[in-house]
Structures are given as C-alpha cells and as structure tokens.
Amino acid sequence: MYLFLPLAFYRNTEISNTYLTKSSPKSQYHIMMYYSNTVYLCWHYLTDAVREGRNQYERAFGISSKDLFGAMYRSEEEMLKFLAGQNSIWSICGRDVLTAFDLSPFTRIYDLGGGGGALAQECVSLYPNCTVTIYDLPKVVQVAKERLVPQEEQRIAFHEGDFFKDSIPEADLYILSKILHDWDDEKCRQLLAEVHKACRPGGGVLLVESLLAEDKSGPVETQLYSLNMLVQTEGKERTAAEYSELLRAAGFEEVQVRRTGKLYDAVLGRK
C-alpha cells in the first residue's frame, strides 16, 4: 500500500530574497558567512577577551595578532571573505553615510582603508565630479583592482601603502569608514594628525562609524559591535563626542555629526 502525501512548496520571503540570495545587489551573504566562519570563532573566547582586554586570534586560529591585519588577512581566501563582506554592508548603508553631508565641494577624495571599493564606487556614483583613490595595503589593492572594482571605472584610482607608516597624499577629503573603531585612542590621534597635515585648507575628513549614545546605553547593535572590536581588533565603538574630541585634537574644526538611522553614522571635520 502506498501513501501519497500532498506536495509542500516553499519560497523565500521578500526580505530573504533581498538580503540572503547571492544574486541580489543588496545581498548580505558574504558578511554573514564571514561572521559565521571567522567572527563567531573569536566570540568563543569572549570571557578571555574581557579578562585580558585584547583580541582572541591566537586562541581562535593559533596565530599572533601583533600585526592586526596580518592576522585578519592570514590567507587570500580569508581576505576575500572579509572584503566581500565589507562591500555587502555598503550596498545597503553606503548611500546613507555619503549623503549625510553634501560632499560635492570635495573633488579629490582619498578613501583610507577603502578595501574592496564598494564605498568608493557609491561615492563616484553620487558625486560625478569627484575622483576617489583607495589607499590600502598592497595585497588588498591588488585584489580590489583585479576582482572587485570594475576596470572601466576611470574615476577610482589606487594607492598602495600602510597609512600608519607611509605618507598620506594631499586631498580635499579623506574618508575613514570603519577605520578608527579598530584602534585605541593613541593610534587614532596619530592617524588623524597625519590626515590633518596632508589635508588641503578647507578640506576635511569624513568618519563613518556606528555611534554609541552619549551615556553608552545603546544602541544594542553598537554595543555588540564594540564587543566584537574587543575580540577581533585593538579598538572599540565610541560616542559622537569622543570622535569629535579626537578630530579637534588633531586640528579639525567645525565638527558636525549626522545620525542616519541606519547601522552607520557620519561625522565630518573641516580644516
């Protein structure tokens, strides 16, 4: 005797089609895979991170984290996962942070630590009169040029280097997206001082970060990001006042803050 059961049909919801399918322009597949396969392994040692006040690459992967990005980019596969994940974030947040202020007066822009180039591509799309140079480590630049940024995009250039060790070229605007939260206050002050020195008069720096409330009571997402900075980097998330103080200490004035209502916010300092 055979028992016939009715067929069941399944389909993605609209949200899963938008954010989980690889074919979607707003897919978050890559960042979710990075969280699952890399970040989550560091979170296994959250207790140790809190006790020691340092990231957990050594316990999670058996490698030294004295060179932070050497640990993060420990293989080409791992670097690609990270860069693709970061690109996916800007597919849903890039426009919000780049339009928080009118950036059209800035024509020569350097994206420090621009990685896979998604934010640079969004920037030249929004501001046709600008050019953007992605300044990043040599191996990151090579991958971005060959695999992530369309070769026909003439308004995006590349600069290989380590901006903590090498000189920073003159520009109208410097974008630091999710850069300062990787580092302690001393390293942030060091970097911003060099940016201020290189910046043209009247130019500025745009910080793109997830801002804590001034009493640090939230948002919950940003508090979780700060814990993630603990287990993965040398930094933390900060309040708008803390970023403003870092900018002013480096010489930037007219500091303005815009909360986007999304995951990342914008802080603009002018020289």
Side-chain angles (χ1 to χ4, degrees), residues 242-257:
E242 288 173 325
Y243 282 119
S244 298
E245 183 180 346
L246 288 170
L247 285 169
R248 291 193 176 97
F252 289 100
E253 300 175 351
E254 301 178 40
V255 178
Q256 298 174 275
V257 178

